[in-house]
Amino acid sequence: MHIQQIDRSKLSQYATVSIAYEVTTELHVCPIHNGLGGLRLVEKPCSPYVKDYDLLPDCHPLYWTKQFNLDEWGLFLAIENGMYVGAAAVAPETEGTATLWDLRVQPDARGKGIGGKLLDTVIHWAKDRDYKTLMVETQNVNAPACTFYSSKGFILETIDQHGYRDSLVENEVKLIWSMDLKLSSMKKEKDEW
């Protein structure tokens, strides 16, 4: 498997990688001591359904060129045996901060480390451009993504129970994660000693 940086002319290939996944659990926001002790996320089973962000209005990768200037974005495709098995997009946001806009792995290729390799590529891309922080947004209906980002060193910064008010996903909770890229560099250097 290798990862190739692409430009917007290859978004149609990028879009062949499915982002759909089956939701079988949801993370519920539970206040500790009526909220004075903070919040915790508790994973609970739910009636299974398929979530596909590409079906939401203006979310499909082919719409991105109509919404954003992708000239400064990092776009990546993971290719294995001539097949597109994963993709990632990282967007410059504010000075010092980049946002992992999208990370997807084909359903039959999940659990094989492709997402981790794409994330490593995104982190390297962001560090090469002197970004200090990498942000990513997930939802409470994507417990596997939350577990993945937490295991990779991201810190949960924001739990916004009303982050999608007046949208098609208004019942979901917006979760914002961040990674301090300076700390991740120091940790890697320490691990290499």
Side-chain angles (χ1 to χ4, degrees):
M1 198 254 331
H2 71 280
I3 297 174
Q4 173 185 23
Q5 186 166 2
I6 61 169
D7 61 29
R8 63 181 167 195
S9 69
K10 299 223 177 188
L11 277 178
S12 59
Q13 290 90 336
Y14 185 110
T16 64
V17 179
S18 175
I19 198 168
Y21 62 96
E22 184 178 21
V23 177
T24 58
T25 63
E26 294 178 348
L27 299 171
H28 292 262
V29 179
C30 298
I32 301 168
H33 301 296
N34 294 323
L36 294 176
L39 301 172
R40 64 187 169 120
L41 296 174
V42 177
E43 190 170 359
K44 296 182 180 180
C46 66
S47 297
Y49 65 95
V50 173
K51 175 80 181 204
D52 189 345
Y53 296 99
D54 287 348
L55 297 179
L56 296 173
D58 300 327
C59 288
H60 194 278
L62 295 180
Y63 290 111
W64 295 349
T65 57
K66 296 173 184 163
Q67 298 170 297
F68 310 107
N69 177 356
L70 302 181
D71 291 342
E72 301 298 319
W73 285 39
L75 302 170
F76 304 94
L77 273 173
I79 304 165
E80 185 173 65
N81 300 323
M83 305 292 292
Y84 302 118
V85 294
V90 59
E93 290 295 326
T94 60
E95 187 159 331
T97 302
T99 296
L100 178 56
W101 185 260
D102 186 62
L103 179 66
R104 55 182 64 209
V105 176
Q106 288 287 20
D108 61 350
R110 292 176 185 161
K112 298 179 181 177
I114 295 168
K117 289 177 183 169
L118 281 163
L119 180 59
D120 288 344
T121 300
V122 165
I123 291 169
H124 182 75
W125 180 92
K127 286 180 180 179
D128 279 354
R129 284 152 185 81
D130 293 324
Y131 289 104
K132 308 295 184 246
T133 306
L134 182 63
M135 305 293 289
V136 66
E137 178 180 324
T138 62
Q139 294 74 36
N140 68 313
V141 298
N142 197 345
C146 295
T147 300
F148 171 77
Y149 292 119
S150 177
S151 74
K152 297 298 182 182
F154 282 82
I155 304 297
L156 182 59
E157 296 283 341
T158 304
I159 299 173
D160 187 348
Q161 296 184 74
H162 307 288
Y164 303 113
R165 181 174 283 152
D166 300 326
S167 76
L168 294 174
V169 293
E170 65 182 335
N171 294 327
E172 295 181 9
V173 176
K174 181 190 288 188
L175 305 171
I176 306 293
W177 302 79
S178 72
M179 174 185 277
D180 184 329
L181 296 175
K182 296 177 297 189
L183 289 178
S184 72
S185 291
M186 291 189 300
K187 182 184 181 310
K188 185 175 182 178
E189 288 172 11
K190 183 180 176 188
D191 292 344
E192 290 173 354
W193 290 343

